[in-house]
Amino acid sequence: MQYSVNNRAIHYESAGEKGQGKAVVLLTQAIDLSAKTSWNKQGYTVEKLFADDVYTAFHNAAHSLLINCWQTSGLSIAHDFSLDRYHKIASTTEKHLAAVEHTKLLSTTLFPIDIVRLEERISILCNEALIARNPFDNQSVFHFRVIRPNQPDNNPLHRDVWLDDYKDCINLYIPLAGSNENSSLVILPESHYWPESKIERTLSGAEIHGVKFNVPAVTGIEGEINFIRPNPKQNEVLIFSPYLIHGGSANLNPDATRISIEIRLWKK
Ligand SMILES: [Fe+2]
């Protein structure tokens, strides 16, 4: 798959059997949590997250929690460590993958602010009562997504809903460190309305440079494509449909790890 964003070319190859889908639009068979918003057509928006003092407390708590997670994984890091220096410490794939095991699938009881405050804020922005609990497996979790610079840590382009458990939700990307025009999440606006027949993908989880991912990878798209990085700033949140093609967010920073919080909400 070859594409470009912000005039930077990105390329990956995934192993595995590939194929095109049927002429169906998955979103039309689902609950569309962007349906009651002004950004429904694009499938994403960038919004302010919290009042400034609330955000400061949130960010400090997120910093402390992430340091604790990394320390538990065996990394030697002090509490005043600058998060975007992570790649200097997790300098090998083995160290990074060990750390990732401790920064994913975290209970929302550990969320850096009362999860109800996040649910209330996003419910207002979506004009729908939402909850951070997956109705398919009853899990209430979030993840720190950590992408080192110039390393194959990022997942490929995909739709979340190619995995069953992510139907009907809305996705959040909350930047914490190193997230900018070179590294923040890549999305393809309006692609949540595209039929599966427009997209070639791996039929099961992607495998890139020997690294396996749960999600299948986009391997080709018919017609013109225009990827963007909406690039939310500190105290902003990128809200986007899980039916949008997204991911593949290669961190093209020369020397900064990109760290974000990833969480999903469903209709209450
Ligand atoms: Fe995703």
Side-chain angles (χ1 to χ4, degrees):
M1 179 70 196
Q2 177 85 36
Y3 63 104
S4 65
V5 58
N6 293 347
N7 296 316
R8 304 280 296 269
I10 299 174
H11 176 264
Y12 64 80
E13 296 285 344
S14 177
E17 197 178 348
K18 303 172 181 68
Q20 267 171 302
K22 297 177 180 169
V24 296
V25 177
L26 296 177
L27 186 62
T28 62
Q29 306 168 353
I31 296 170
D32 178 4
L33 291 181
S34 68
K36 297 179 183 175
T37 71
S38 60
W39 41 272
N40 172 251
K41 185 170 181 289
Q42 304 95 294
Y44 77 96
T45 186
V46 173
E47 304 286 347
K48 183 165 182 178
L49 189 52
F50 299 125
D52 291 346
D53 57 333
V54 174
Y55 179 75
T56 298
F58 164 83
H59 195 274
N60 290 343
H63 180 110
S64 292
L65 175 60
L66 185 52
I67 297 286
N68 284 341
C69 292
W70 284 342
Q71 288 175 338
T72 304
S73 78
L75 295 178
S76 180
I77 292 180
H79 264 275
D80 60 354
F81 182 77
S82 178
L83 299 183
D84 68 358
R85 300 291 89 200
Y86 165 85
H87 56 288
K88 301 290 189 187
I89 304 296
S91 52
T92 66
T93 300
E94 290 72 24
K95 286 180 183 175
H96 173 63
L97 293 179
V100 166
E101 286 302 312
H102 292 267
T103 57
K104 66 181 183 181
L105 292 168
L106 301 172
S107 166
T108 54
T109 59
L110 298 172
F111 199 71
I113 192 171
D114 184 344
I115 193 65
V116 173
R117 297 188 79 160
L118 179 76
E119 290 168 342
E120 288 176 350
R121 176 68 181 136
I122 306 304
S123 296
I124 288 169
L125 294 169
C126 291
N127 287 310
E128 188 77 71
L130 302 174
I131 186 168
R133 180 175 296 279
N134 186 330
F136 300 102
D137 60 13
N138 221 28
Q139 281 192 326
S140 183
V141 297
F142 70 103
H143 318 265
F144 289 107
R145 182 73 75 180
V146 179
I147 312 289
R148 295 173 298 166
N150 300 306
Q151 295 288 335
D153 296 345
N154 59 290
N155 57 19
L157 295 166
H158 63 279
R159 297 192 204 271
D160 283 354
V161 294
W162 288 337
L163 301 175
D164 274 347
D165 283 359
Y166 297 140
K167 277 180 66 177
D168 303 336
C169 74
I170 199 79
N171 284 2
L172 307 186
Y173 171 98
I174 303 171
L176 286 181
S179 182
N180 55 38
E181 69 278 8
N182 297 319
S183 62
S184 60
L185 185 72
V186 171
I187 65 164
L188 188 48
E190 303 185 20
S191 59
H192 53 327
Y193 287 119
W194 289 4
E196 293 305 293
S197 53
K198 196 175 163 70
I199 303 158
E200 183 199 72
R201 67 174 176 95
T202 60
L203 300 184
S204 54
E207 182 179 340
I208 299 170
H209 301 302
V211 179
K212 293 184 176 176
F213 297 90
N214 289 333
V215 288
V218 172
T219 54
I221 298 175
E222 284 181 4
E224 194 176 324
I225 49 177
N226 182 26
F227 286 97
I228 64 168
R229 296 191 197 251
N231 192 17
K233 308 297 190 296
Q234 294 287 303
N235 200 10
E236 290 185 335
V237 55
L238 167 63
I239 308 174
F240 66 101
S241 169
Y243 295 80
L244 274 186
I245 294 170
H246 67 278
S249 308
N251 179 355
L252 303 179
N253 285 328
D255 188 32
T257 294
R258 188 210 91 188
I259 298 167
S260 58
I261 286 180
E262 178 182 299
I263 186 168
R264 300 178 173 87
L265 295 91
W266 282 260
K267 197 168 178 177
K268 200 167 182 177

